[in-house]
Amino acid sequence: MNEIVGGVRRTKVLIVGSGGNGISAAVLLKQAGIEDFVIITKHNDFGGVWHQNTYPGCGVDGAISIYQFSFAINPEWSTLFAKQPEVAAYLRKVAADHDLYARTRFGTEMLGAEWLEDSACWSVSTTGGTYHADALVLVTGFLEEPVFPKIPGVDSFEGRIFHSSMWPEGYTGEGDRIAVVGTGSSALQIVPSMQKAARQVTVFQRTPAWILPKNDRVFTAEDMASFRESPEILLQQRQEIFEYAERMWENAFLMKDPAESQKFEDMARAYLEEQVPDPELRRMLTPDHQFACKRPGASDDYYAALQEENVELVAEGTAEIGAGSIRSTGGREFEVDTIVLATGFLYGGHVLHKIKRRDGRTVGEVQQGHPRAYKSVEVSGCPNLFLIGGAGPNGQNWNGLACGEVVGAYLVKVLQYMEEHGIRAVEVHESAETEWKRRTDEILAHGPTVAGGCVNYSQDDTGHNKAAYPGNQREMEAALSKFETAVHHVIA
Ligand SMILES: Cc1cc2nc3c(=O)[nH]c(=O)nc-3n(C[C@H](O)[C@H](O)[C@H](O)COP(=O)(O)OP(=O)(O)OC[C@H]3O[C@@H](n4cnc5c(N)ncnc54)[C@H](O)[C@@H]3O)c2cc1C
């Protein structure tokens, strides 16, 4: 369809987002013969976080064997923990291989969306005009909106200051005195790469995280040749890592077996002891919260970098920024040329505040800081709205792409069901959504992200977890294996 009527572009499905999960949703639609869709994205290429985050050292912190699409297994990765340029190139290639460029409007931001009762479609306003779509698919990411800490004096700083996701093109840190604020996953990659180039790196740590080694390895030309010739080797590797990750998720995050959960913390503690002989530095790096309360880090070189002569760990927050300096909460002043804000992201961003329910109120307004979606995908009051990946509250498990494929497959099932039954729209019952969220909160209440003794990005305004899916990957697949007529209203 995709025709323009009265300045409004019309399409059956509008996908918002061109990250990995936007790509897989589009590919799954195409594979099911649903060709009438458009992708819009505020970025100027495919890749999402892998397009946006370009800092030196940026790469996956879960093995690439399972951080790739099941329909596009790549034998050419150069390392087990691939770096950002390779991941971004892979995502662009998959998009090109499936002819997605021609269907995508780049540099187009969704500003808001409302359901039009009479025509049973979404009216979506964007920086590139209005779209009318029978189904609206939000794939807007969960680590997308940077958090900027409010440090007094920040505007007076005369050097470079930027968020880790807005790395200045070509900036290497060569010869500079650099402050890295924050010690989450991005900082774990930034600190070792800046250590090699900078004159001095000062790392400000409010709360340490548990870290496990990645045990990264390089794939040689022979490895790649054998992967190409015998794809079953890759599939076998993928399966083994999948099983490990499922166990880790069930035990460390969902606490199905507390004894197993403790083993992960023991592994992280042993790694710290092995890597950091200095008792004072080790004390500073030892978390006082349970494993997986904060997202556990994965690194082979962070602890080593911290022990280099040109690096100092300051186990304090930041109190104030001056014209050429930064002061810690303990009153220590450091002269710096550059400040890197490795301060993370607002989980899920503000996207639900842009979506108006049938009653005219936004989803964000109604949900009041306690976001919920049925099975992480559908929202009451919003017919034919589908949330994929982190756009959906409680939509994440151990792998940011695998869950997207599961929801993409569910989206296809619902659209096919509607087509077969001549249905224009489906809307989940509010009671089903509320009950799902109640059970989710109950499952996650005893886990480390809520009860583990730390503050983390997954906690919502009410202290509940808004990020984690309350089951493993297999359970998510089972939960989304079919369209349930009993919990949906139907608009014929
Ligand atoms: C540095 C970094 C490293 C990571 N490493 C891993 C890892 O190793 N393993 C893992 O499992 N996960 C990792 N993640 C998590 C990552 O977010 C997910 O794995 C995954 O990439 C999410 O894909 P997505 O397509 O859902 O969202 P994203 O990749 O975030 O893409 C979101 C898309 O939505 C678009 N968008 C957002 N808002 C709008 C709007 N209003 N209008 C139009 N377009 C909009 C953006 O332009 C973008 O195209 C990492 C995240 C970061 C930031």
Side-chain angles (χ1 to χ4, degrees):
M1 210 185 323
N2 290 336
E3 80 259 26
I4 305 176
V5 180
V8 173
R9 290 175 174 80
R10 170 113 196 105
T11 179
K12 184 178 173 72
V13 183
L14 184 68
I15 298 174
V16 185
S18 62
N21 291 324
I23 294 171
S24 63
V27 170
L28 292 173
L29 287 179
K30 282 193 80 177
Q31 287 176 346
I34 303 168
E35 294 278 346
D36 183 6
F37 66 86
V38 171
I39 303 172
I40 62 164
T41 172
K42 63 183 182 185
H43 286 161
N44 60 11
D45 208 336
F46 284 98
V49 298
W50 301 107
H51 172 73
Q52 184 64 36
N53 291 264
T54 57
Y55 56 79
C58 181
V60 295
D61 55 13
I64 197 69
S65 324
I66 46 172
Y67 195 75
Q68 56 181 314
F69 302 121
S70 63
F71 54 82
I73 304 283
N74 176 21
E76 314 287 339
W77 299 108
S78 62
T79 52
L80 182 58
F81 287 81
K83 294 282 189 264
Q84 175 268 338
E86 254 186 285
V87 183
Y90 165 79
L91 293 172
R92 288 194 300 267
K93 179 172 184 314
V94 174
D97 288 349
H98 291 85
D99 283 332
L100 300 184
Y101 275 87
R103 296 159 174 275
T104 304
R105 307 287 166 266
F106 295 102
T108 303
E109 181 169 356
M110 179 186 78
L111 303 172
E114 63 180 322
W115 177 254
L116 303 181
E117 287 299 343
D118 291 347
S119 33
C121 73
W122 284 98
S123 175
V124 182
S125 59
T126 79
T127 51
T130 301
Y131 287 80
H132 281 182
D134 298 339
L136 176 58
V137 182
L138 299 182
V139 208
T140 45
F142 64 99
L143 301 182
E144 219 283 322
E145 240 178 80
V147 167
F148 294 94
K150 294 184 181 65
I151 310 173
V154 66
D155 294 333
S156 62
F157 188 63
E158 288 169 3
R160 289 175 188 264
I161 179 163
F162 50 86
H163 189 270
S164 58
S165 66
M166 298 169 171
W167 199 267
E169 204 181 335
Y171 179 66
T172 61
E174 193 67 41
D176 279 357
R177 296 161 302 174
I178 302 175
V180 177
V181 180
T183 51
S185 299
S186 295
L188 260 47
Q189 299 180 337
I190 290 168
V191 171
S193 41
M194 287 300 99
Q195 180 277 321
K196 293 185 190 83
R199 173 145 56 112
Q200 177 68 32
V201 181
T202 310
V203 184
F204 290 85
Q205 170 194 276
R206 244 182 0 196
T207 322
W210 290 109
I211 297 174
L212 289 172
K214 292 195 295 195
N215 299 320
D216 198 3
R217 55 171 288 212
V218 170
F219 292 127
T220 61
E222 290 82 60
D223 288 331
M224 290 183 206
S226 77
F227 294 156
R228 273 193 298 272
E229 279 158 30
S230 315
E232 65 277 6
I233 302 176
L234 280 180
L235 295 177
Q236 168 76 16
Q237 259 184 20
R238 195 171 146 87
Q239 193 57 30
E240 282 165 14
I241 298 171
F242 176 90
E243 298 298 345
Y244 174 82
E246 287 277 86
R247 271 204 314 282
M248 182 169 181
W249 183 257
E250 285 168 16
N251 295 320
F253 288 83
L254 303 179
M255 296 290 279
K256 283 197 177 164
D257 181 345
E260 279 298 311
S261 159
Q262 184 59 41
K263 284 186 192 162
F264 288 101
E265 186 167 319
D266 294 344
M267 273 188 318
R269 195 181 298 276
Y271 179 54
L272 172 62
E273 279 169 12
E274 172 209 303
Q275 291 280 306
V276 183
D278 174 19
E280 177 54 15
L281 182 60
R282 210 165 57 222
R283 185 191 62 72
M284 288 158 75
L285 288 166
T286 305
D288 62 0
H289 55 259
Q290 205 178 335
F291 184 84
C293 182
K294 283 188 173 293
R295 189 170 189 265
S299 176
D300 290 338
D301 52 7
Y302 178 68
Y303 286 145
L306 288 180
Q307 293 166 83
E308 292 291 339
E309 284 202 340
N310 62 339
V311 180
E312 181 176 359
L313 178 72
V314 179
E316 296 168 19
T318 47
E320 195 169 7
I321 292 176
S325 65
I326 181 162
R327 188 157 53 77
S328 72
T329 45
R332 296 179 62 199
E333 184 111 9
F334 300 86
E335 287 188 4
V336 290
D337 307 297
T338 298
I339 300 175
V340 180
L341 300 171
T343 41
F345 302 86
L346 174 67
Y347 187 95
H350 283 96
V351 71
L352 295 179
H353 291 268
K354 295 183 176 152
I355 308 298
K356 273 195 184 157
R357 291 161 41 107
R358 293 171 84 174
D359 63 11
R361 295 177 298 163
T362 69
V363 176
E365 231 172 298
V366 169
Q367 298 193 340
Q368 301 265 0
H370 186 44
R372 58 186 182 273
Y374 182 62
K375 296 189 176 176
S376 88
V377 182
E378 292 168 273
V379 180
S380 62
C382 298
N384 290 2
L385 176 74
F386 301 90
L387 311 177
I388 299 191
N394 299 104
Q396 282 303 304
N397 58 22
W398 47 267
N399 186 317
L401 291 187
C403 343
E405 274 193 55
V406 175
V407 184
Y410 176 72
L411 165 70
V412 168
K413 275 185 208 107
V414 181
L415 295 178
Q416 285 173 334
Y417 181 91
M418 292 199 306
E419 182 78 31
E420 281 161 20
H421 294 80
I423 293 167
R424 290 208 295 171
V426 294
E427 180 193 333
V428 72
H429 293 170
E430 188 157 9
S431 55
E433 176 192 89
T434 311
E435 175 55 15
W436 173 263
K437 181 59 177 162
R438 190 194 61 72
R439 280 190 3 239
T440 298
D441 286 348
E442 203 173 86
I443 292 169
L444 299 175
H446 306 293
T449 54
V450 175
C454 76
V455 174
N456 61 62
Y457 71 25
S458 63
Q459 290 159 355
D460 70 15
D461 295 354
T462 65
H464 293 96
N465 185 315
K466 62 177 169 177
Y469 187 78
N472 64 19
Q473 180 77 14
R474 286 194 176 97
E475 286 165 334
M476 187 185 217
E477 276 169 28
L480 292 171
S481 61
K482 61 178 192 318
F483 174 69
E484 301 159 291
T485 47
V487 297
H488 287 89
H489 302 291
V490 160
I491 301 169

